[in-house]
Amino acid sequence: QVQLVESGGGLVQAGGSLRLSCAASGSIYTINTMGWYRQAPGNQRELVATITSGDNTKYADSVKGRFTISGDTAKRTVYLQMNSAKPEDTAVYYCHAEVISSDYVLYDYWGQGTQVTVSS
């Protein structure tokens, strides 16, 4: 079993900054990709940003230039630096990891989610 624990959500004013953190633990052989997704009320969950074990990053167009994903899959941590926050960034943010477990099976894992609210 693998656990993803997120922290850092909260309330921020428009134009402000927030940093989310996620740490993975458990029966992990290696992690291929870690990332952040978000879901606003009435919307589907959407990709925000991902980072691979080779440090390749991918961003949603809506956050490019404002958000930065960083981390180390070997250290099982990922961060999301959110700058120039906008009210439309308000959502529950979920950490995701594509994990090869200690029994060499590929799994997708999700954190419990952390609320980010951007006030106008």
Short mmCIF file of all heavy atoms in Angstrom, two decimals, residues 60-115:
data_model
loop_
_atom_site.label_atom_id
_atom_site.label_comp_id
_atom_site.label_asym_id
_atom_site.label_seq_id
_atom_site.Cartn_x
_atom_site.Cartn_y
_atom_site.Cartn_z
N ALA A 60 -0.72 22.43 -17.56
CA ALA A 60 -1.93 22.88 -18.22
C ALA A 60 -1.69 24.29 -18.76
O ALA A 60 -0.97 25.08 -18.14
CB ALA A 60 -3.09 22.89 -17.23
N ASP A 61 -2.29 24.60 -19.89
CA ASP A 61 -2.10 25.93 -20.48
C ASP A 61 -2.52 27.03 -19.51
O ASP A 61 -1.92 28.11 -19.49
CB ASP A 61 -2.91 26.04 -21.77
CG ASP A 61 -2.32 25.23 -22.91
OD1 ASP A 61 -1.13 24.84 -22.82
OD2 ASP A 61 -3.03 24.97 -23.89
N SER A 62 -3.52 26.76 -18.70
CA SER A 62 -4.06 27.78 -17.81
C SER A 62 -3.11 28.18 -16.68
O SER A 62 -3.31 29.22 -16.05
CB SER A 62 -5.39 27.30 -17.21
OG SER A 62 -5.19 26.10 -16.49
N VAL A 63 -2.08 27.37 -16.43
CA VAL A 63 -1.17 27.67 -15.32
C VAL A 63 0.26 27.94 -15.80
O VAL A 63 1.11 28.29 -14.97
CB VAL A 63 -1.17 26.55 -14.26
CG1 VAL A 63 -2.59 26.26 -13.80
CG2 VAL A 63 -0.49 25.29 -14.76
N LYS A 64 0.53 27.76 -17.07
CA LYS A 64 1.89 27.98 -17.58
C LYS A 64 2.33 29.40 -17.28
O LYS A 64 1.58 30.37 -17.48
CB LYS A 64 1.92 27.74 -19.09
CG LYS A 64 1.95 26.28 -19.48
CD LYS A 64 2.00 26.12 -21.01
CE LYS A 64 2.00 24.65 -21.40
NZ LYS A 64 1.97 24.47 -22.88
N GLY A 65 3.57 29.52 -16.79
CA GLY A 65 4.12 30.82 -16.47
C GLY A 65 3.76 31.31 -15.08
O GLY A 65 4.31 32.31 -14.61
N ARG A 66 2.83 30.64 -14.43
CA ARG A 66 2.43 31.04 -13.06
C ARG A 66 2.75 29.97 -12.02
O ARG A 66 3.13 30.29 -10.89
CB ARG A 66 0.92 31.33 -13.02
CG ARG A 66 0.47 32.43 -13.94
CD ARG A 66 -1.00 32.79 -13.70
NE ARG A 66 -1.90 31.67 -13.96
CZ ARG A 66 -2.69 31.13 -13.03
NH1 ARG A 66 -2.68 31.60 -11.79
NH2 ARG A 66 -3.48 30.14 -13.34
N PHE A 67 2.59 28.71 -12.39
CA PHE A 67 2.83 27.60 -11.47
C PHE A 67 4.13 26.89 -11.86
O PHE A 67 4.45 26.79 -13.06
CB PHE A 67 1.70 26.59 -11.52
CG PHE A 67 0.38 27.06 -10.96
CD1 PHE A 67 0.17 28.39 -10.59
CD2 PHE A 67 -0.67 26.18 -10.81
CE1 PHE A 67 -1.04 28.82 -10.09
CE2 PHE A 67 -1.89 26.59 -10.30
CZ PHE A 67 -2.07 27.92 -9.96
N THR A 68 4.82 26.36 -10.87
CA THR A 68 6.03 25.59 -11.11
C THR A 68 5.98 24.30 -10.30
O THR A 68 5.79 24.35 -9.08
CB THR A 68 7.29 26.38 -10.73
OG1 THR A 68 7.34 27.60 -11.47
CG2 THR A 68 8.55 25.57 -11.03
N ILE A 69 6.15 23.18 -10.99
CA ILE A 69 6.22 21.90 -10.32
C ILE A 69 7.69 21.53 -10.12
O ILE A 69 8.52 21.77 -11.00
CB ILE A 69 5.46 20.80 -11.08
CG1 ILE A 69 5.33 19.53 -10.24
CG2 ILE A 69 6.09 20.51 -12.43
CD1 ILE A 69 4.37 18.50 -10.80
N SER A 70 8.00 20.98 -8.98
CA SER A 70 9.35 20.53 -8.71
C SER A 70 9.27 19.31 -7.80
O SER A 70 8.21 19.00 -7.24
CB SER A 70 10.18 21.64 -8.06
OG SER A 70 9.64 22.00 -6.80
N GLY A 71 10.39 18.68 -7.64
CA GLY A 71 10.39 17.52 -6.76
C GLY A 71 11.41 16.51 -7.19
O GLY A 71 12.23 16.76 -8.07
N ASP A 72 11.33 15.38 -6.55
CA ASP A 72 12.30 14.33 -6.80
C ASP A 72 11.59 13.00 -6.60
O ASP A 72 11.26 12.65 -5.47
CB ASP A 72 13.47 14.49 -5.81
CG ASP A 72 14.62 13.56 -6.12
OD1 ASP A 72 14.38 12.47 -6.69
OD2 ASP A 72 15.75 13.91 -5.78
N THR A 73 11.35 12.30 -7.71
CA THR A 73 10.62 11.03 -7.57
C THR A 73 11.42 10.01 -6.78
O THR A 73 10.85 9.16 -6.11
CB THR A 73 10.26 10.45 -8.95
OG1 THR A 73 11.45 10.30 -9.72
CG2 THR A 73 9.29 11.36 -9.69
N ALA A 74 12.75 10.15 -6.83
CA ALA A 74 13.58 9.23 -6.03
C ALA A 74 13.38 9.50 -4.54
O ALA A 74 13.42 8.59 -3.72
CB ALA A 74 15.05 9.39 -6.41
N LYS A 75 13.17 10.75 -4.20
CA LYS A 75 12.91 11.12 -2.80
C LYS A 75 11.43 11.09 -2.47
O LYS A 75 11.03 11.39 -1.35
CB LYS A 75 13.49 12.51 -2.52
CG LYS A 75 15.00 12.55 -2.61
CD LYS A 75 15.53 13.93 -2.28
CE LYS A 75 17.05 13.97 -2.36
NZ LYS A 75 17.59 15.31 -2.08
N ARG A 76 10.62 10.81 -3.51
CA ARG A 76 9.17 10.61 -3.31
C ARG A 76 8.46 11.87 -2.85
O ARG A 76 7.53 11.80 -2.05
CB ARG A 76 8.92 9.45 -2.35
CG ARG A 76 9.62 8.16 -2.76
CD ARG A 76 9.50 7.08 -1.75
NE ARG A 76 10.22 5.88 -2.18
CZ ARG A 76 10.27 4.76 -1.49
NH1 ARG A 76 9.62 4.67 -0.32
NH2 ARG A 76 10.92 3.71 -1.93
N THR A 77 8.90 13.01 -3.35
CA THR A 77 8.26 14.27 -2.99
C THR A 77 7.99 15.10 -4.24
O THR A 77 8.73 15.02 -5.22
CB THR A 77 9.14 15.09 -2.04
OG1 THR A 77 10.42 15.29 -2.65
CG2 THR A 77 9.33 14.39 -0.71
N VAL A 78 6.92 15.88 -4.18
CA VAL A 78 6.61 16.79 -5.27
C VAL A 78 6.00 18.05 -4.67
O VAL A 78 5.32 18.00 -3.64
CB VAL A 78 5.66 16.14 -6.30
CG1 VAL A 78 4.29 15.86 -5.69
CG2 VAL A 78 5.53 16.99 -7.55
N TYR A 79 6.30 19.18 -5.31
CA TYR A 79 5.82 20.47 -4.84
C TYR A 79 5.16 21.21 -6.00
O TYR A 79 5.50 20.99 -7.16
CB TYR A 79 6.98 21.31 -4.31
CG TYR A 79 7.82 20.61 -3.28
CD1 TYR A 79 8.98 19.94 -3.65
CD2 TYR A 79 7.43 20.59 -1.94
CE1 TYR A 79 9.74 19.28 -2.71
CE2 TYR A 79 8.19 19.93 -1.00
CZ TYR A 79 9.35 19.27 -1.38
OH TYR A 79 10.10 18.61 -0.45
N LEU A 80 4.25 22.09 -5.65
CA LEU A 80 3.64 22.96 -6.64
C LEU A 80 3.69 24.39 -6.10
O LEU A 80 3.02 24.70 -5.11
CB LEU A 80 2.19 22.57 -6.93
CG LEU A 80 1.52 23.36 -8.06
CD1 LEU A 80 2.14 22.99 -9.41
CD2 LEU A 80 0.02 23.11 -8.09
N GLN A 81 4.51 25.22 -6.72
CA GLN A 81 4.57 26.63 -6.37
C GLN A 81 3.57 27.38 -7.22
O GLN A 81 3.67 27.39 -8.45
CB GLN A 81 5.98 27.17 -6.61
CG GLN A 81 6.14 28.64 -6.29
CD GLN A 81 5.98 28.95 -4.81
OE1 GLN A 81 6.47 28.21 -3.96
NE2 GLN A 81 5.28 30.03 -4.49
N MET A 82 2.61 28.00 -6.56
CA MET A 82 1.55 28.71 -7.25
C MET A 82 1.77 30.20 -7.07
O MET A 82 1.67 30.72 -5.96
CB MET A 82 0.19 28.30 -6.67
CG MET A 82 -0.07 26.80 -6.71
SD MET A 82 -1.53 26.29 -5.75
CE MET A 82 -2.80 27.24 -6.55
N ASN A 83 2.08 30.90 -8.13
CA ASN A 83 2.27 32.35 -8.10
C ASN A 83 1.17 33.02 -8.94
O ASN A 83 0.56 32.39 -9.79
CB ASN A 83 3.65 32.73 -8.64
CG ASN A 83 4.76 32.21 -7.79
OD1 ASN A 83 4.62 32.02 -6.57
ND2 ASN A 83 5.91 31.96 -8.41
N SER A 84 0.99 34.29 -8.69
CA SER A 84 -0.02 35.07 -9.44
C SER A 84 -1.37 34.34 -9.46
O SER A 84 -2.00 34.17 -10.51
CB SER A 84 0.46 35.33 -10.88
OG SER A 84 1.70 35.99 -10.88
N ALA A 85 -1.77 33.89 -8.30
CA ALA A 85 -3.00 33.10 -8.20
C ALA A 85 -4.22 33.89 -8.68
O ALA A 85 -4.31 35.12 -8.49
CB ALA A 85 -3.21 32.63 -6.76
N LYS A 86 -5.16 33.17 -9.29
CA LYS A 86 -6.39 33.76 -9.80
C LYS A 86 -7.59 33.07 -9.14
O LYS A 86 -7.50 31.90 -8.75
CB LYS A 86 -6.49 33.57 -11.31
CG LYS A 86 -5.34 34.18 -12.11
CD LYS A 86 -5.51 33.87 -13.59
CE LYS A 86 -4.39 34.48 -14.40
NZ LYS A 86 -4.54 34.18 -15.86
N PRO A 87 -8.70 33.76 -9.04
CA PRO A 87 -9.90 33.11 -8.45
C PRO A 87 -10.27 31.82 -9.14
O PRO A 87 -10.76 30.89 -8.49
CB PRO A 87 -10.98 34.19 -8.63
CG PRO A 87 -10.23 35.48 -8.58
CD PRO A 87 -8.93 35.19 -9.29
N GLU A 88 -10.01 31.73 -10.44
CA GLU A 88 -10.34 30.48 -11.16
C GLU A 88 -9.42 29.32 -10.82
O GLU A 88 -9.63 28.20 -11.27
CB GLU A 88 -10.35 30.71 -12.68
CG GLU A 88 -9.11 31.41 -13.21
CD GLU A 88 -9.32 32.91 -13.38
OE1 GLU A 88 -9.88 33.56 -12.47
OE2 GLU A 88 -8.87 33.45 -14.43
N ASP A 89 -8.39 29.58 -10.03
CA ASP A 89 -7.53 28.49 -9.52
C ASP A 89 -8.15 27.82 -8.31
O ASP A 89 -7.63 26.79 -7.84
CB ASP A 89 -6.16 29.02 -9.14
CG ASP A 89 -5.37 29.54 -10.33
OD1 ASP A 89 -5.46 28.95 -11.41
OD2 ASP A 89 -4.65 30.56 -10.16
N THR A 90 -9.24 28.35 -7.80
CA THR A 90 -9.90 27.77 -6.65
C THR A 90 -10.39 26.36 -6.96
O THR A 90 -11.12 26.16 -7.94
CB THR A 90 -11.08 28.65 -6.21
OG1 THR A 90 -10.58 29.91 -5.76
CG2 THR A 90 -11.86 27.98 -5.07
N ALA A 91 -9.97 25.40 -6.15
CA ALA A 91 -10.32 24.00 -6.38
C ALA A 91 -9.73 23.15 -5.26
O ALA A 91 -8.94 23.64 -4.45
CB ALA A 91 -9.76 23.52 -7.72
N VAL A 92 -10.10 21.88 -5.26
CA VAL A 92 -9.40 20.90 -4.44
C VAL A 92 -8.25 20.36 -5.29
O VAL A 92 -8.47 19.92 -6.43
CB VAL A 92 -10.32 19.77 -3.99
CG1 VAL A 92 -9.54 18.73 -3.19
CG2 VAL A 92 -11.48 20.32 -3.15
N TYR A 93 -7.06 20.42 -4.76
CA TYR A 93 -5.87 19.97 -5.47
C TYR A 93 -5.47 18.58 -4.96
O TYR A 93 -5.35 18.37 -3.74
CB TYR A 93 -4.73 20.97 -5.28
CG TYR A 93 -4.90 22.20 -6.13
CD1 TYR A 93 -5.90 23.12 -5.85
CD2 TYR A 93 -4.07 22.44 -7.22
CE1 TYR A 93 -6.09 24.24 -6.64
CE2 TYR A 93 -4.23 23.56 -8.01
CZ TYR A 93 -5.26 24.46 -7.72
OH TYR A 93 -5.42 25.57 -8.51
N TYR A 94 -5.25 17.68 -5.90
CA TYR A 94 -4.93 16.29 -5.58
C TYR A 94 -3.52 15.95 -6.07
O TYR A 94 -3.18 16.23 -7.23
CB TYR A 94 -5.91 15.33 -6.23
CG TYR A 94 -7.32 15.45 -5.73
CD1 TYR A 94 -8.23 16.30 -6.35
CD2 TYR A 94 -7.76 14.71 -4.63
CE1 TYR A 94 -9.53 16.42 -5.90
CE2 TYR A 94 -9.05 14.82 -4.16
CZ TYR A 94 -9.93 15.67 -4.80
OH TYR A 94 -11.22 15.79 -4.35
N CYS A 95 -2.76 15.33 -5.20
CA CYS A 95 -1.46 14.79 -5.59
C CYS A 95 -1.69 13.42 -6.23
O CYS A 95 -2.54 12.64 -5.79
CB CYS A 95 -0.58 14.66 -4.35
SG CYS A 95 1.05 13.95 -4.67
N HIS A 96 -0.93 13.14 -7.27
CA HIS A 96 -1.02 11.85 -7.97
C HIS A 96 0.37 11.27 -8.15
O HIS A 96 1.35 12.00 -8.36
CB HIS A 96 -1.67 12.06 -9.34
CG HIS A 96 -1.61 10.84 -10.23
ND1 HIS A 96 -0.62 10.68 -11.18
CD2 HIS A 96 -2.39 9.73 -10.29
CE1 HIS A 96 -0.81 9.52 -11.80
NE2 HIS A 96 -1.87 8.93 -11.28
N ALA A 97 0.46 9.95 -8.10
CA ALA A 97 1.71 9.28 -8.37
C ALA A 97 1.46 8.00 -9.15
O ALA A 97 0.54 7.25 -8.83
CB ALA A 97 2.45 8.96 -7.07
N GLU A 98 2.28 7.80 -10.17
CA GLU A 98 2.27 6.53 -10.91
C GLU A 98 3.42 5.71 -10.34
O GLU A 98 4.59 6.05 -10.53
CB GLU A 98 2.46 6.78 -12.39
CG GLU A 98 2.33 5.52 -13.25
CD GLU A 98 2.54 5.81 -14.72
OE1 GLU A 98 3.71 5.94 -15.14
OE2 GLU A 98 1.53 5.93 -15.45
N VAL A 99 3.06 4.66 -9.65
CA VAL A 99 4.02 3.94 -8.82
C VAL A 99 4.19 2.50 -9.30
O VAL A 99 3.20 1.83 -9.64
CB VAL A 99 3.53 3.91 -7.35
CG1 VAL A 99 4.41 3.02 -6.49
CG2 VAL A 99 3.47 5.32 -6.78
N ILE A 100 5.44 2.04 -9.32
CA ILE A 100 5.70 0.62 -9.45
C ILE A 100 5.95 0.12 -8.03
O ILE A 100 6.89 0.58 -7.36
CB ILE A 100 6.89 0.32 -10.36
CG1 ILE A 100 6.59 0.82 -11.77
CG2 ILE A 100 7.21 -1.16 -10.38
CD1 ILE A 100 7.73 0.65 -12.76
N SER A 101 5.07 -0.77 -7.59
CA SER A 101 5.13 -1.21 -6.20
C SER A 101 6.28 -2.20 -5.99
O SER A 101 6.96 -2.60 -6.94
CB SER A 101 3.81 -1.88 -5.82
OG SER A 101 3.65 -3.08 -6.56
N SER A 102 6.46 -2.55 -4.75
CA SER A 102 7.56 -3.46 -4.41
C SER A 102 7.34 -4.85 -5.00
O SER A 102 8.30 -5.64 -5.05
CB SER A 102 7.72 -3.54 -2.89
OG SER A 102 6.49 -3.88 -2.28
N ASP A 103 6.13 -5.16 -5.46
CA ASP A 103 5.90 -6.43 -6.16
C ASP A 103 5.83 -6.22 -7.66
O ASP A 103 5.28 -7.04 -8.40
CB ASP A 103 4.64 -7.12 -5.64
CG ASP A 103 3.39 -6.24 -5.75
OD1 ASP A 103 3.54 -5.06 -6.11
OD2 ASP A 103 2.29 -6.73 -5.47
N TYR A 104 6.37 -5.07 -8.14
CA TYR A 104 6.58 -4.79 -9.56
C TYR A 104 5.28 -4.68 -10.35
O TYR A 104 5.23 -5.04 -11.53
CB TYR A 104 7.53 -5.80 -10.20
CG TYR A 104 8.80 -5.95 -9.43
CD1 TYR A 104 9.09 -7.12 -8.74
CD2 TYR A 104 9.72 -4.90 -9.35
CE1 TYR A 104 10.26 -7.25 -8.01
CE2 TYR A 104 10.88 -5.03 -8.62
CZ TYR A 104 11.15 -6.20 -7.96
OH TYR A 104 12.29 -6.34 -7.23
N VAL A 105 4.26 -4.14 -9.71
CA VAL A 105 2.98 -3.88 -10.37
C VAL A 105 2.80 -2.37 -10.45
O VAL A 105 3.13 -1.64 -9.51
CB VAL A 105 1.82 -4.52 -9.59
CG1 VAL A 105 0.48 -4.18 -10.26
CG2 VAL A 105 2.00 -6.03 -9.52
N LEU A 106 2.26 -1.89 -11.59
CA LEU A 106 2.04 -0.46 -11.79
C LEU A 106 0.70 -0.04 -11.21
O LEU A 106 -0.33 -0.63 -11.53
CB LEU A 106 2.09 -0.13 -13.28
CG LEU A 106 2.00 1.35 -13.67
CD1 LEU A 106 3.22 2.10 -13.18
CD2 LEU A 106 1.85 1.48 -15.18
N TYR A 107 0.71 0.98 -10.40
CA TYR A 107 -0.52 1.48 -9.78
C TYR A 107 -0.58 3.00 -9.92
O TYR A 107 0.45 3.68 -9.99
CB TYR A 107 -0.56 1.18 -8.28
CG TYR A 107 -0.67 -0.28 -7.91
CD1 TYR A 107 0.45 -1.00 -7.50
CD2 TYR A 107 -1.90 -0.92 -7.93
CE1 TYR A 107 0.35 -2.33 -7.13
CE2 TYR A 107 -2.00 -2.27 -7.56
CZ TYR A 107 -0.87 -2.96 -7.17
OH TYR A 107 -0.98 -4.27 -6.81
N ASP A 108 -1.81 3.51 -9.88
CA ASP A 108 -2.05 4.94 -9.74
C ASP A 108 -2.56 5.21 -8.32
O ASP A 108 -3.48 4.53 -7.85
CB ASP A 108 -3.12 5.43 -10.72
CG ASP A 108 -2.58 5.59 -12.12
OD1 ASP A 108 -1.53 6.24 -12.26
OD2 ASP A 108 -3.20 5.07 -13.06
N TYR A 109 -1.96 6.19 -7.68
CA TYR A 109 -2.38 6.56 -6.33
C TYR A 109 -2.73 8.04 -6.28
O TYR A 109 -2.14 8.86 -7.00
CB TYR A 109 -1.29 6.27 -5.31
CG TYR A 109 -1.09 4.81 -5.04
CD1 TYR A 109 -0.05 4.11 -5.64
CD2 TYR A 109 -1.95 4.11 -4.20
CE1 TYR A 109 0.14 2.76 -5.40
CE2 TYR A 109 -1.77 2.76 -3.95
CZ TYR A 109 -0.73 2.10 -4.56
OH TYR A 109 -0.56 0.76 -4.32
N TRP A 110 -3.68 8.36 -5.39
CA TRP A 110 -4.14 9.74 -5.21
C TRP A 110 -4.07 10.12 -3.73
O TRP A 110 -4.32 9.29 -2.86
CB TRP A 110 -5.57 9.89 -5.69
CG TRP A 110 -5.74 9.68 -7.16
CD1 TRP A 110 -5.99 8.51 -7.80
CD2 TRP A 110 -5.63 10.68 -8.18
NE1 TRP A 110 -6.06 8.71 -9.15
CE2 TRP A 110 -5.84 10.04 -9.42
CE3 TRP A 110 -5.39 12.05 -8.17
CZ2 TRP A 110 -5.81 10.71 -10.64
CZ3 TRP A 110 -5.36 12.72 -9.37
CH2 TRP A 110 -5.56 12.06 -10.59
N GLY A 111 -3.76 11.38 -3.50
CA GLY A 111 -3.85 11.92 -2.16
C GLY A 111 -5.29 12.24 -1.81
O GLY A 111 -6.19 12.09 -2.63
N GLN A 112 -5.49 12.70 -0.59
CA GLN A 112 -6.84 12.97 -0.11
C GLN A 112 -7.38 14.31 -0.59
O GLN A 112 -8.58 14.57 -0.50
CB GLN A 112 -6.87 12.93 1.42
CG GLN A 112 -6.35 14.16 2.13
CD GLN A 112 -4.83 14.26 2.16
OE1 GLN A 112 -4.13 13.41 1.63
NE2 GLN A 112 -4.32 15.32 2.78
N GLY A 113 -6.49 15.14 -1.11
CA GLY A 113 -6.90 16.44 -1.62
C GLY A 113 -6.70 17.54 -0.60
O GLY A 113 -6.86 17.33 0.60
N THR A 114 -6.35 18.73 -1.09
CA THR A 114 -6.20 19.90 -0.24
C THR A 114 -6.89 21.09 -0.91
O THR A 114 -6.72 21.31 -2.11
CB THR A 114 -4.71 20.19 0.04
OG1 THR A 114 -4.60 21.27 0.98
CG2 THR A 114 -3.93 20.54 -1.21
N GLN A 115 -7.66 21.82 -0.14
CA GLN A 115 -8.45 22.92 -0.69
C GLN A 115 -7.59 24.15 -0.89
O GLN A 115 -6.85 24.57 0.00
CB GLN A 115 -9.61 23.26 0.24
CG GLN A 115 -10.46 24.45 -0.21
CD GLN A 115 -11.28 24.16 -1.45
OE1 GLN A 115 -11.91 23.10 -1.55
NE2 GLN A 115 -11.26 25.09 -2.40
#
